[in-house]
Amino acid sequence: MSFIESHLGDARQRRRLITGIRESLRELGLHLSLLNRQVSSRLELKDIDVDCLDLIDRHGPISPSALARSAGLHPATLTGILDRLERGGWVARERDPSDRRAVLVQALRTRNSELYGLYAGMSTSMNQICDGYSDAELQVIADFLTRSAQAGRAAADDLTSG
């Protein structure tokens, strides 16, 4: 095999790997969406409600306007979501101690066990998968996923603003 043929084979193999990764990410996105839909249904919430609850849990306490930006939602749409989450005992709206005119949304921990229980199967599976990788491999995977999430966020922001 010539040097050129070897490099062509390497390039084809790399394209196949990248295509496989893209397909796997699409498959993962689909199945996580289906899982979230099942969780939402069990909790009698809308899918977007659970997405917002996750954002509040990870970034809260958070202002409604910052949450709307993070979720890519119109503030009026977010008001309805927050009303449902508050009625369900998932979040509380409180005055911002640094600016009494402002409101912050905070996740309430009283129902966390219910939520975490619905994700327990996936969490256990992820722990088992991660156990099969070295720390160095996990660092590469974590970097890839972080950068992929940032790319997804940038693409969503582009569609929102354009």
Side-chain angles (χ1 to χ4, degrees):
M1 181 183 302
S2 74
F3 177 78
I4 294 173
E5 290 171 329
S6 173
H7 280 295
L8 285 174
D10 290 346
R12 278 191 220 109
Q13 176 64 16
R14 183 172 174 81
R15 280 194 310 274
R16 276 191 231 115
L17 283 170
I18 290 170
T19 299
I21 289 169
R22 285 182 176 154
E23 288 299 315
S24 292
L25 286 172
R26 288 180 68 193
E27 186 81 6
L28 175 61
L30 172 66
H31 289 290
L32 289 177
S33 178
L34 293 172
L35 173 62
N36 289 339
R37 190 171 304 128
Q38 289 297 317
V39 168
S40 299
S41 175
R42 295 271 178 101
L43 298 174
E44 298 179 355
L45 294 171
K46 296 182 178 187
D47 296 354
I48 192 65
D49 298 353
V50 174
D51 292 341
C52 287
L53 182 58
D54 185 41
L55 287 169
I56 296 164
D57 189 52
R58 288 190 294 139
H59 304 292
I62 187 171
S63 71
S65 58
L67 179 58
R69 278 192 305 277
S70 291
L73 297 170
H74 189 279
T77 302
L78 184 65
T79 298
I81 293 167
L82 292 177
D83 288 346
R84 284 191 298 275
L85 290 173
E86 194 170 38
R87 275 193 310 270
W90 294 101
V91 302
R93 290 181 246 201
E94 300 172 352
R95 292 280 171 214
D96 184 341
S98 63
D99 178 359
R100 298 295 297 158
R101 295 169 295 162
V103 172
L104 293 175
V105 181
Q106 182 172 321
L108 299 175
R109 306 289 179 224
T110 55
R111 296 190 70 183
N112 278 359
S113 62
E114 184 180 353
L115 184 62
Y116 295 153
L118 294 171
Y119 285 108
M122 183 62 176
S123 183
T124 298
S125 294
M126 291 305 302
N127 288 338
Q128 291 169 347
I129 291 167
C130 288
D131 285 346
Y133 292 97
S134 70
D135 287 353
E137 290 169 325
L138 288 172
Q139 287 175 341
V140 171
I141 293 167
D143 176 67
F144 173 80
L145 291 173
T146 297
R147 292 168 65 190
S148 296
Q150 290 168 344
R153 182 66 199 184
D157 288 347
D158 287 347
L159 288 175
T160 299
S161 64

